[in-house]
């Protein structure tokens, strides 16, 4: 069976926990390359990103290399996409060239709808429009599990442009699975209508003292046709500053998928605060993606 990784909703709780366990194994053994650098020897993955990326693309590449695999980085701007080649034909070309898996990002929410049925190799969603970013979801869960030793029942606030965020899309699927309480905060126009009883809209200032984690999101300007953002006003109303942080529990953590805008959704000095796990999330992205690549091709 071909193992695609398109949405967290296709996985059971035990599947996700197994991936987290395996990611944790890779985290623990990160300084013992002999234990892991042969696991995907002779495999070749293609990174195919039709939207910009720093963290996801680089961490998938590093994950593959840490496991002994090789990576082809396909750059649409320098490719036959410029001559009119379609997404399907591009991916099919890479399949016929013999890659073992394709890590794929695109701006279309529905790009994976029928695509995976036409391929005989794993397709891995590295971010699909506003739909889901499931490998980010996995690394967020890994970070929460490391911090709290559990996922069940955690209280998480997500603040920002939730409506246009695929990161929030995957986190909300996971929240449902692990019975978390999720509070959506930010400008009302940027919040979706909650679709389940464990997801509610809330005022950021009211909910901050109660949550275990605050996930900050940037405003996805590239997904808005006409949104005027005054960074200073937004920061005052919805940004995390020292005063708001002082309202949070001392053991609560700050998350952000990146890229973050210092002085907009988070004050500059809080990005590397002792309660911030933002760079930890990035490190965990490599371990989560190692677990994913191994799962998809084993
Ligand atoms: N978190 C995330 O998806 O970052 P990149 O866009 O840099 O990959």
């Amino acid at each position: 069976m071909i193992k695609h990784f398109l949405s967290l909703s296709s996985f059971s709780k035990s599947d996700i926990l197994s991936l987290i366990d395996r990611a944790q194994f890779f985290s623990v053994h990160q300084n013992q390359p002999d234990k892991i650098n042969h696991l995907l020897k002779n495999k070749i993955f293609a990174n195919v990103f039709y939207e910009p990326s720093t963290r996801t693309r680089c961490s998938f590449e590093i994950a593959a290399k840490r496991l002994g695999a090789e990576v082809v980085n396909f750059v649409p701007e320098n490719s036959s996409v410029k001559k009119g080649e379609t997404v399907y034909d591009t991916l099919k070309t890479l399949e016929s060239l013999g890659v073992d898996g394709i890590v794929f990002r695109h701006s279309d929410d529905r790009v994976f709808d029928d695509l995976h049925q036409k391929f005989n190799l794993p397709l891995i969603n590295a971010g699909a429009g506003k739909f889901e970013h499931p490998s980010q979801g996995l690394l967020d869960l890994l970070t929460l599990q490391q911090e709290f030793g559990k996922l069940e029942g955690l209280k998480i606030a997500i603040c920002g442009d939730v409506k246009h965020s695929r990161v929030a899309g995957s986190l909300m699927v996971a929240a449902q699975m692990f019975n978390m309480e999720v509070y959506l905060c930010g400008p009302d126009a940027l919040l979706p209508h909650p679709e389940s009883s464990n997801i509610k809209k809330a005022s950021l200032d009211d909910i901050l003292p109660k949550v275990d984690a605050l996930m900050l999101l940037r405003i996805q300007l590239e997904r808005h046709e006409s949104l005027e953002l005054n960074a200073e006003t937004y920061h005052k109303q919805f940004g995390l500053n020292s005063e708001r942080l002082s309202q949070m529990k001392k053991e609560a953590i700050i998350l952000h998928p990146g890229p973050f805008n210092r002085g907009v959704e988070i004050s500059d000095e809080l990005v590397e605060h002792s309660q911030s796990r933002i760079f930890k999330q990035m490190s965990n992205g490599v371990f989560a993606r190692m677990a994913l690549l191994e799962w998809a091709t084993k």
Side-chain angles (χ1 to χ4, degrees):
M1 192 185 70
I2 305 296
K3 292 176 172 169
H4 301 292
F5 187 75
L6 308 182
S7 159
L8 290 187
S9 61
S10 324
F11 292 83
S12 67
K13 199 191 280 194
S14 67
D15 293 334
I16 299 289
L17 288 172
S18 300
L19 284 168
I20 292 173
D21 274 357
R22 192 62 177 159
Q24 184 59 22
F25 171 88
F26 289 129
S27 166
V28 168
H29 294 288
Q30 60 183 300
N31 296 322
Q32 294 163 277
D34 294 352
K35 262 189 177 329
I36 56 177
N37 64 10
H38 58 281
L39 293 171
L40 295 186
K41 199 165 181 294
N42 299 324
K43 302 280 184 204
I44 302 177
F45 294 94
N47 273 340
V48 180
F49 281 61
Y50 281 76
E51 279 195 333
S53 169
T54 298
R55 279 146 288 272
T56 312
R57 194 190 62 71
C58 295
S59 59
F60 265 115
E61 180 166 354
I62 292 166
K65 289 180 172 174
R66 292 250 185 264
L67 294 170
E70 296 190 49
V71 177
V72 172
N73 279 302
F74 171 85
V75 182
E77 292 75 18
N78 293 338
S79 75
S80 290
V81 169
K82 287 285 172 201
K83 302 174 204 163
E85 195 154 54
T86 63
V87 165
Y88 173 78
D89 288 334
T90 299
L91 299 182
K92 209 67 193 165
T93 299
L94 289 163
E95 179 179 51
S96 61
L97 293 179
V99 300
D100 296 286
I102 297 179
V103 176
F104 177 45
R105 171 175 286 192
H106 199 276
S107 58
D108 183 349
D109 300 6
R110 309 199 60 171
V111 72
F112 286 105
D113 274 6
D114 302 317
L115 201 62
H116 62 288
Q117 292 157 7
K118 300 172 184 162
F119 286 85
N120 291 313
L121 81 177
L123 292 184
I124 296 176
N125 177 359
K130 305 182 291 302
F131 167 56
E132 265 207 53
H133 191 349
S135 66
Q136 176 75 42
L138 194 62
L139 77 87
D140 292 336
L141 293 177
L142 172 62
T143 308
L144 289 165
Q145 173 75 34
Q146 287 172 341
E147 195 68 34
F148 300 106
K150 64 169 190 176
L151 296 171
E152 294 286 337
L154 292 177
K155 294 183 174 64
I156 316 257
I158 308 178
C159 183
D161 187 1
V162 183
K163 203 182 223 173
H164 298 92
S165 170
R166 55 196 176 207
V167 172
S170 287
L171 189 57
M172 286 192 278
V173 170
Q176 184 88 345
M177 198 181 283
F178 291 100
N179 211 19
M180 296 176 184
E181 287 176 35
V182 174
Y183 298 94
L184 307 181
C185 313
D188 200 49
L190 301 184
L191 302 184
H193 185 67
E195 285 176 9
S196 71
S197 57
N198 61 327
I199 302 175
K200 298 182 173 73
K201 290 187 189 180
S203 138
L204 179 64
D205 290 310
D206 288 349
I207 209 66
L208 275 181
K210 299 177 188 155
V211 296
D212 300 302
L214 169 64
M215 168 75 86
L216 297 163
L217 299 174
R218 75 185 171 91
I219 306 295
Q220 310 253 317
L221 291 172
E222 70 276 27
R223 305 199 198 284
H224 291 266
E225 277 174 18
S226 60
L227 177 80
E228 285 183 25
L229 175 72
N230 180 306
E232 207 174 317
T233 309
Y234 182 89
H235 187 62
K236 264 193 203 134
Q237 291 184 327
F238 302 109
L240 185 66
N241 53 27
S242 300
E243 197 186 321
R244 288 200 168 105
L245 180 62
S246 72
Q247 300 302 310
M248 292 175 68
K249 293 189 274 191
K250 291 289 166 256
E251 61 277 18
I253 59 170
I254 305 164
L255 301 172
H256 194 310
F260 42 81
N261 295 295
R262 292 174 186 256
V264 185
E265 62 269 20
I266 182 164
S267 296
D268 181 18
E269 69 278 10
L270 299 187
V271 172
E272 294 177 66
H273 187 273
S274 58
Q275 283 174 263
S276 168
R277 296 294 176 273
I278 296 174
F279 287 97
K280 179 77 176 166
Q281 284 172 277
M282 295 183 206
S283 307
N284 279 338
V286 174
F287 308 128
R289 288 165 179 136
M290 287 168 82
L292 261 182
L293 293 177
E294 183 191 46
W295 165 83
T297 51
K298 112 178 144 185

